[in-house]
Amino acid sequence: MADLSVNFASIRAPNPFWLASAPPTDKEYNVVRAFRAGWGGVVWKTLGEDPPIVNVSSRYGAVSYAGARMAGFSNIELITDRPLEVNLREIATVKRDWPDRALVVSLMVPCTEESWKRILPRVEATGCDGIELNFGCPHGMSERGMGSAVGQVPEYVEMVTRWCKQHSRMPVIVKLTPNVTDIRAPARAAKRGGADALSLINTIQSIVAVDLDTMAPEPVVDGQGTHGGYCGPAVKPIALRMVAELARDPELAGLPISGIGGISTWRDAAEFIALGAGTVQVCTAVMHRGFRIIEEMQDGLANWMDEKGYAGIGSFLGRAVPNFVHWEDLNLDYVTKARIDPALCIECGLCHIACEDTSHQAIAIHRDGVRRRFEVIDAECVGCNLCAHVCPVSGCIRMVAQEVARPKRTWKQHPNNPDRREAAE
């Protein structure tokens, strides 16, 4: 079996699957159950200063799509509402009993050096492996000058990170908010402040639904609602792009990344790792299906690694990053055409409808009595692959590369590029 163990910013764990800072990591009971199930690490739900936070009810909203429950998930819950001393005592107990697992503590306190100086020694005394600075919470705490209110200002990110490095010996992971224009700006600021690693993405500002009876955003709290933090499978594409953006940034070279956002399967995890994430953090999938999903995640990843010949996580960490390029670096002379396998076709016609109504009118229908046959018109097909995506039968429509006489040309080399024409003149 492949070796799934990781060493992330000097924090060791038996596998890269960690639970993100969230309700599943709010107390000793949950975390112990997670470790017994096989999770490699946890980030303890965000701690703050006493007095404890007061939360609301209800707290969660969800988006269900095409029969899939919780395709997107939203919450308006704040950081832990349990006393700080209780949390610290439980963290120390769990770390003592589970020394081989990664135990990182998420922190959020007012944006003053004195606040951080007060809490850091108390957290360090628990024996935990590191801290994660929650600069991402987009609701409730941000209105108090914490969370994303800090994460959206690179100067604040750098300042608080530096305080934590000055007043603590623990590895410092900076958790970034996706609610910014350019994710690289706060990431670079974290590095300037001395961060040992980055984690992303935190949740996205959202309203997932409106209750049309109460006329309030969901979840509804006594007839009213607010924006929340959006997560779950629906945010995975956004998270992948942001992780990859940091992984290819030369200014962040060597800084470990923990990937978060919609990770539900071993394949999701492998994609994040291939784009530069040394560990992955999971939340919504566990809230949906429980801690035992770690079994299929571990087995699936290990089996795939064995098939591919990857001995350890480092063997494919970041392997996809060089292939994540800017649009102008893509080969404009690479041509594909759709091919429909008649043996697999169920004659639903979805490919024809999609292409005829919304694309390039490149799929013809041939009727033979009661049967229908669909054929690609090569002269009209531009290789957009819409037909392959709408087809309900896996493998029925394939995109086949065509022989092209010209060598590879990118936009930088293309004669239609006005910059190239000006240079030639």
Side-chain angles (χ1 to χ4, degrees):
M1 291 284 285
D3 180 10
L4 299 186
S5 65
V6 294
N7 183 345
F8 182 82
S10 299
I11 301 171
R12 296 184 180 276
N15 63 62
F17 297 104
W18 296 5
L19 290 176
S21 168
T25 63
D26 191 32
K27 58 176 70 75
E28 178 182 356
Y29 177 84
N30 302 62
V31 172
V32 169
R33 285 175 58 84
F35 283 163
R36 284 177 179 159
W39 290 87
V42 303
V43 182
W44 201 279
K45 184 171 169 66
T46 307
L47 308 185
E49 292 186 308
D50 287 327
I53 289 292
V54 178
N55 271 298
V56 297
S57 174
S58 293
R59 302 178 188 179
Y60 303 143
V63 174
S64 298
Y65 183 74
R69 302 287 289 177
M70 288 173 56
F73 191 70
S74 178
N75 83 89
I76 58 172
E77 184 170 298
L78 304 183
I79 64 176
T80 184
D81 52 14
R82 304 169 71 235
L84 177 60
E85 191 56 46
V86 172
N87 275 297
L88 294 175
R89 185 168 61 248
E90 291 184 1
I91 290 166
T93 299
V94 172
K95 187 58 193 177
R96 181 198 65 202
D97 294 344
W98 297 86
D100 67 320
R101 308 302 172 93
L103 201 166
V104 175
V105 177
S106 177
L107 293 178
M108 182 193 296
V109 296
C111 198
T112 67
E113 185 172 7
E114 195 56 41
S115 295
W116 287 99
K117 283 179 67 176
R118 279 197 302 269
I119 198 169
L120 286 168
R122 301 180 69 184
V123 173
E124 190 165 344
T126 66
C128 69
D129 296 300
I131 56 174
E132 183 180 78
L133 310 187
N134 185 345
F135 291 156
C137 190
H139 55 273
M141 306 308 296
S142 54
E143 288 88 336
R144 309 178 195 196
M146 293 179 274
S148 63
V150 176
Q152 290 169 336
V153 184
E155 292 80 7
Y156 293 170
V157 172
E158 180 179 352
M159 177 178 67
V160 177
T161 304
R162 183 169 284 112
W163 290 341
C164 291
K165 290 300 296 181
Q166 289 173 347
H167 301 300
S168 170
R169 294 170 295 178
M170 297 177 287
V172 174
I173 304 169
V174 174
K175 189 174 187 180
L176 302 175
T177 174
N179 302 297
V180 292
T181 304
D182 187 347
I183 194 66
R184 295 173 299 177
R188 291 168 177 172
K191 184 174 184 180
R192 290 194 299 270
D196 297 288
L198 304 170
S199 62
L200 70 158
I201 60 174
N202 207 307
T203 53
I204 301 168
Q205 287 185 356
S206 63
I207 295 177
V208 292
V210 174
D211 185 318
L212 294 179
D213 293 320
T214 62
M215 285 296 172
E218 295 182 359
V220 179
V221 181
D222 193 22
Q224 296 179 310
T226 187
H227 72 272
Y230 194 50
C231 54
V235 311
K236 176 189 163 188
I238 299 168
L240 279 173
R241 198 280 297 179
M242 289 190 169
V243 165
E245 198 70 65
L246 301 189
R248 73 176 180 182
D249 185 353
E251 294 190 30
L252 299 172
L255 198 60
I257 298 170
S258 186
I260 313 168
I263 299 163
S264 304
T265 68
W266 71 263
R267 184 176 292 274
D268 296 333
E271 292 174 14
F272 272 85
I273 295 168
L275 282 174
T279 62
V280 293
Q281 296 184 33
V282 181
C283 173
T284 305
V286 163
M287 295 180 76
H288 194 178
R289 295 189 286 139
F291 290 137
R292 293 292 294 274
I293 66 170
I294 186 60
E295 296 173 7
E296 61 187 65
M297 296 178 92
Q298 284 194 89
D299 290 346
L301 182 61
N303 289 336
W304 173 79
M305 289 170 62
D306 285 340
E307 291 173 8
K308 296 294 184 180
Y310 296 130
I313 297 297
S315 301
F316 72 101
L317 174 60
R319 287 286 289 271
V321 175
N323 294 323
F324 174 46
V325 299
H326 297 286
W327 189 94
E328 58 265 28
D329 296 318
L330 296 174
N331 182 6
L332 297 177
D333 290 322
Y334 178 75
V335 177
T336 63
K337 301 289 183 183
R339 292 291 178 262
I340 302 171
D341 186 342
L344 294 176
C345 180
I346 62 174
E347 303 177 35
C348 67
L350 287 175
C351 61
H352 170 76
I353 294 169
C355 190
E356 193 73 13
D357 288 358
T358 69
S359 204
H360 294 85
Q361 299 76 52
I363 298 180
I365 299 181
H366 301 291
R367 288 180 170 84
D368 180 14
V370 296
R371 298 210 59 183
R372 300 188 300 176
R373 181 169 57 86
F374 298 89
E375 184 179 25
V376 175
I377 306 169
D378 278 3
E380 302 298 333
C381 179
V382 301
C384 72
N385 70 329
L386 174 62
C387 57
H389 287 301
V390 302
C391 179
V393 181
S394 179
C396 180
I397 301 179
R398 297 180 301 112
M399 305 307 297
V400 179
Q402 307 295 295
E403 290 287 340
V404 178
R406 292 187 300 271
K408 173 181 177 179
R409 287 185 300 178
T410 66
W411 177 241
K412 297 172 183 176
Q413 302 157 332
H414 203 277
N416 289 358
N417 184 342
D419 294 335
R420 187 174 184 274
R421 289 202 304 268
E422 289 175 9
E425 293 170 0

